[in-house]
Amino acid sequence: MRMLCVAALVLAPGLAGATQLEIGSGQEQLTNGLADGWFYFAGLRQQQDAYGWGGRYQRSERFGLQDQEWLFDGNYKLNNELTWLWQAAYSPQNRVRPELNYGSQLAWSWTPGWVVTPGVMLSQDDEQDSHSYSLMNEHYIGAYRLAYTFYHSRPEDAGTANTHLLQLSYYFNDTDSITLLAVRGKELERLPNRVLVMDVSRYGFFGQLGLSPNWQLLYNASWSEQDVLYEKTEYGLSVRYSF
């Protein structure tokens, strides 16, 4: 779902060309005696009117296993109605993240205020490959954004998973916003040495707060019920400098 957040950022009203540096960290707390996880990252993004690109390094720990990941993404405005987005990630340890994760989307502004975005994502690692398809429909009206996304995921030898994501965003101004989200359905959960299809319910929010013309504070928090295996509480905080 990370790529859809990039799509929302690119298509959000008021986005100006800028270079951005961002650093942050977060934690996940698991029930049923499972070890808590954490992550921290540093990233760079360049966005212009017609194109943008970004790179990010992240180090994390899940289920007591440490991992690192390099992630790159970009976007290119083909014309006034179409924007192409892509993402690729590489994890050399391949312990809690797929070794390769890559995908592409095409955002179509088919009429004023409405955007439809189909996409595909492929994950490859030593244990189990998977591929996912998504279709997002979002509507901008005034300071609000309402988006619904349907995911269909197919891991090797593990059935299929259909997931529904609903988001409601409010933009206070060009730098301040908040998004509420709800997820229901089945998701692919990557555990050590295997990928499972799990029932999931998730509720949360994310947003950003302008501290000055150049500094923004970004935040997120969510609660998930991952089938009968565990419940998960996640939260993160980062700072972004634009110049």
Side-chain angles (χ1 to χ4, degrees), residues 2 5-10 12-25 41-47 53-56 73 171 173-177 206-220 237-243:
R2 182 184 301 165
C5 294
V6 175
L9 176 66
V10 171
L15 182 66
T19 300
Q20 300 172 336
L21 294 172
E22 185 178 347
I23 59 172
S25 63
F41 70 89
L44 172 69
R45 172 168 293 279
Q46 168 64 231
Q47 182 65 50
W53 59 268
R56 170 167 147 164
D73 62 73
Y171 299 92
N173 49 52
D174 288 349
T175 59
D176 300 0
S177 66
F206 63 89
Q208 68 177 43
L209 175 66
L211 303 177
S212 74
N214 299 100
W215 290 93
Q216 295 87 41
L217 180 71
L218 294 92
Y219 54 88
N220 66 274
L237 196 66
S238 64
V239 291
R240 176 189 294 161
Y241 178 72
S242 303
F243 57 94

Side-chain angles (χ1 to χ4, degrees), residues 22-67:
E22 185 178 347
I23 59 172
S25 63
Q27 187 176 22
E28 62 176 26
Q29 299 174 342
L30 307 181
T31 60
N32 293 341
L34 297 173
D36 294 342
W38 53 262
F39 70 89
Y40 58 85
F41 70 89
L44 172 69
R45 172 168 293 279
Q46 168 64 231
Q47 182 65 50
Q48 299 296 331
D49 290 336
Y51 66 92
W53 59 268
R56 170 167 147 164
Y57 169 78
Q58 178 168 307
R59 190 164 184 85
S60 58
E61 179 175 315
R62 295 199 74 202
F63 307 111
L65 299 173
Q66 293 191 11
D67 211 344

Side-chain angles (χ1 to χ4, degrees), residues 116-161:
V116 173
T117 308
V120 60
M121 182 70 67
L122 305 175
S123 296
Q124 297 178 339
D125 57 41
D126 293 337
E127 300 300 330
Q128 193 174 46
D129 296 344
S130 63
H131 52 275
S132 300
Y133 305 94
S134 63
L135 181 62
M136 177 172 65
N137 190 13
E138 54 187 328
H139 180 47
Y140 294 89
I141 179 169
Y144 291 90
R145 168 183 172 264
L146 180 64
Y148 166 74
T149 309
F150 174 74
Y151 295 91
H152 177 72
S153 303
R154 299 179 61 90
E156 288 183 340
D157 305 322
T160 61

Side-chain angles (χ1 to χ4, degrees), residues 178-190:
I178 187 169
T179 297
L180 307 178
L181 64 89
V183 177
R184 292 296 300 271
K186 295 181 180 292
E187 279 188 343
L188 305 186
E189 178 73 352
R190 193 176 191 280

Side-chain angles (χ1 to χ4, degrees), residues 27-31 221-224 230-235:
Q27 187 176 22
E28 62 176 26
Q29 299 174 342
L30 307 181
T31 60
S222 66
W223 173 86
S224 305
Y230 58 84
E231 296 179 4
K232 177 172 61 175
T233 302
E234 292 184 90
Y235 50 89

Side-chain angles (χ1 to χ4, degrees), residues 37-98:
W38 53 262
F39 70 89
Y40 58 85
F41 70 89
L44 172 69
R45 172 168 293 279
Q46 168 64 231
Q47 182 65 50
Q48 299 296 331
D49 290 336
Y51 66 92
W53 59 268
R56 170 167 147 164
Y57 169 78
Q58 178 168 307
R59 190 164 184 85
S60 58
E61 179 175 315
R62 295 199 74 202
F63 307 111
L65 299 173
Q66 293 191 11
D67 211 344
Q68 58 181 326
E69 184 178 44
W70 297 89
L71 185 143
F72 304 93
D73 62 73
N75 59 83
Y76 183 74
K77 188 175 182 179
L78 301 174
N79 54 46
N80 291 332
E81 291 78 33
L82 294 173
T83 300
W84 173 54
L85 305 106
W86 60 268
Q87 181 187 56
Y90 171 63
S91 175
Q93 285 85 6
N94 188 212
R95 298 189 182 106
V96 294
R97 295 292 303 162

